Amino acid sequence: MEVTLVILKPSAVQRGIMGEIISRFERKGIQIVGMKMVKLTDETLEEHYSHLIGKPFFGRIKDSMQASPVVVMALKGIDVINAVRKLSGVTNGREAQSGTIRGDYSMSVQENIVHASDSQETAEAELGRFFSENEIFNYSQHLLPYLYAGDEL
Ligand code: TYD
């Protein structure tokens, strides 16, 4: 099983749709193994979006991510990194497919509701950035036989 990091951005917190977004992950059968509300610091954001630091819009992304606290989540499942990226939709909410989170809730590139790790390496680094080891829980999912076939596990 993989674990991935999701951030419910200020666009989700301020619009009061945190619960709806969390429900989507739950309904899909993804296990929530860590979750907390945090305020993102400059330092954390410079690490988290280090690939965008040179871009002219980096300042506004930082402001947007600091406009309110965010919710960080650790989500577990088979191939969950890819599954959660698919559920999130492409970066630009206007382009994202209907049925995806960004496609259903966002009309913007920046105000696009969620962040989701994009690879195994990124997921590991991002989980380590936002969670300490004892904040990610290992507990059995009792409905597992109804979520996966035995040979998928
Ligand atoms: P990026 O890592 O490219 O996308 P994703 O979140 O889909 O992995 O960009 C990080 C965030 O930066 C993105 O969710 C929204 C913001 N952003 C902009 O505001 N404008 C842009 O042109 C880009 C590329 C990103």
Side-chain angles (χ1 to χ4, degrees):
M1 292 252 182
E2 285 177 349
V3 182
T4 192
L5 178 95
V6 162
I7 303 178
L8 306 183
K9 297 184 180 185
S11 46
V13 176
Q14 293 288 1
R15 287 172 54 188
I17 54 173
M18 286 183 283
E20 285 183 41
I21 307 300
I22 293 167
S23 285
R24 288 188 167 220
F25 297 122
E26 290 184 310
R27 283 194 328 228
K28 178 76 173 167
I30 292 170
Q31 189 184 26
I32 299 171
V33 291
M35 182 158 69
K36 62 182 177 180
M37 188 171 250
V38 294
K39 191 104 186 21
L40 298 175
T41 63
D42 283 355
E43 199 186 16
T44 304
L45 281 167
E46 278 155 25
E47 259 187 51
H48 183 71
Y49 283 143
S50 60
H51 60 294
L52 298 174
I53 277 185
K55 304 279 186 197
F57 52 79
F58 184 69
R60 72 162 162 75
I61 293 180
K62 220 165 61 166
D63 290 345
S64 158
M65 293 296 284
Q66 293 177 321
S68 77
V70 299
V71 173
V72 290
M73 305 177 71
L75 300 180
K76 188 173 181 178
I78 294 177
D79 298 332
V80 76
I81 298 167
N82 182 47
V84 168
R85 286 287 288 190
K86 288 248 161 72
L87 279 179
S88 300
V90 296
T91 309
N92 182 346
R94 294 186 295 277
E95 298 286 334
Q97 240 182 0
S98 297
T100 65
I101 294 167
R102 288 165 169 174
D104 287 353
Y105 291 96
S106 168
M107 281 293 285
S108 168
V109 176
Q110 175 179 285
E111 301 304 317
N112 63 0
I113 316 293
V114 285
H115 164 83
S117 306
D118 63 4
S119 70
Q120 217 153 340
E121 298 72 42
T122 323
E124 238 168 75
E126 292 182 346
L127 288 162
R129 181 170 305 134
F130 293 102
F131 289 97
S132 57
E133 247 170 63
N134 65 0
E135 289 174 325
I136 296 187
F137 297 88
N138 202 355
Y139 64 99
S140 51
Q141 218 174 356
H142 293 295
L143 293 179
L144 211 59
Y146 304 97
L147 296 171
Y148 300 103
D151 63 2
E152 288 176 306
L153 292 167

